[in-house]
């Protein structure tokens, strides 16, 4: 799944550390999400979207090959 987390993080002036602290997760989790190596749980995805005042659908892009 692709995502716009780095784009929104930059727009809102968050470092990876600050976003991780805000969300209560590790910086490594943020790095993995941004690189597309880890898809967040639904509650975490919703929390990220709320922090950036956008929808989950705007932040995370489901690709055709992600649907099984």
């Amino acid at each position: 799944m692709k995502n716009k987390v780095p784009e929104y993080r930059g727009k809102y002036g968050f470092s990876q550390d600050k976003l991780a602290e805000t969300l209560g997760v590790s910086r490594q989790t943020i790095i993995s999400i941004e690189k597309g190596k880890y898809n967040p749980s639904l509650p975490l995805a919703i929390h990220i979207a709320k922090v950036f005042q956008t929808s989950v659908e705007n932040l995370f892009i489901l690709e055709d090959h992600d649907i099984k």
Side-chain angles (χ1 to χ4, degrees):
M1 174 173 7
K2 289 187 178 183
N3 68 77
K4 297 179 183 175
V5 173
E7 177 184 323
Y8 276 87
R9 190 170 53 75
K11 178 180 173 182
Y12 280 77
F14 278 78
S15 65
Q16 289 174 331
D17 284 325
K18 179 64 177 171
L19 181 58
E21 181 182 322
T22 300
L23 297 169
V25 299
S26 70
R27 180 173 171 261
Q28 187 59 45
T29 298
I30 301 303
I31 292 168
S32 295
I33 290 170
E34 288 185 356
K35 289 184 176 182
K37 293 183 177 183
Y38 172 72
N39 292 330
S41 65
L42 184 56
L44 180 54
I46 291 169
H47 195 181
I48 297 168
K50 283 184 179 182
V51 166
F52 294 137
Q53 301 175 3
T54 191
S55 68
V56 172
E57 293 85 356
N58 280 339
L59 202 52
F60 296 96
I61 300 96
L62 191 64
E63 298 178 303
D64 289 339
H65 69 273
D66 291 331
I67 302 171
K68 300 194 177 27

